[in-house]
Amino acid sequence: MMFSPTLPMPKLTDEQQEFGQWLLQGNSLFLCSEICSDFGKVDGIETFNGHFQKRTLFRLKREGLLTETTVFEMGIRWQQLTLNERGKQLLTNSEVKAHA
């Protein structure tokens, strides 16, 4: 898939890149979007060894690097957040530059 040259690739902080690399390894997060006692809860972050802040998610979403999929678990609505192709491309290129 080719990306528009008019849409520049964002520059991410080290923390955002570290979290993105974790997502690039096939990990994903679940964000509760049901109005209930779990509203806003983030699940699936337990295996991430870095420092996680919700604003990192906000930034990756704002930059168009995440895909959201609605899933229901026991009747509760969650948004599964994974890297999309644009995010994978950016972070794969960042990984190559970091190891160069």
Side-chain angles (χ1 to χ4, degrees):
M1 175 182 222
M2 296 298 296
F3 295 97
S4 169
T6 60
L7 189 59
M9 286 297 199
K11 292 185 180 182
L12 302 176
T13 66
D14 290 344
E15 183 177 283
Q16 292 163 348
Q17 284 191 25
E18 181 181 7
F19 181 69
Q21 292 296 330
W22 179 77
L23 289 173
L24 187 62
Q25 295 170 7
N27 295 300
S28 61
L29 286 182
F30 295 87
L31 178 67
C32 181
S33 57
E34 185 79 30
I35 303 299
C36 67
S37 60
D38 285 336
F39 182 74
K41 178 181 177 185
V42 176
D43 203 10
I45 195 71
E46 300 80 18
T47 61
F48 179 60
N49 293 325
H51 179 70
F52 173 76
Q53 295 183 30
K54 284 186 185 177
R55 66 182 180 176
T56 298
L57 279 182
F58 302 153
R59 173 75 192 279
L60 296 179
K61 179 169 173 51
R62 186 180 75 225
E63 297 296 346
L65 305 178
L66 298 177
T67 295
E68 292 181 58
T69 306
T70 302
V71 294
F72 288 88
E73 186 174 319
M74 298 182 65
I76 305 292
R77 183 179 56 232
W78 294 80
Q79 296 303 113
Q80 181 179 16
L81 303 163
T82 57
L83 277 181
N84 60 23
E85 288 305 313
R86 183 171 189 259
K88 290 175 184 176
Q89 179 186 20
L90 172 70
L91 290 158
T92 299
N93 290 339
S94 295
E95 189 176 59
V96 169
K97 288 178 189 172
H99 292 93

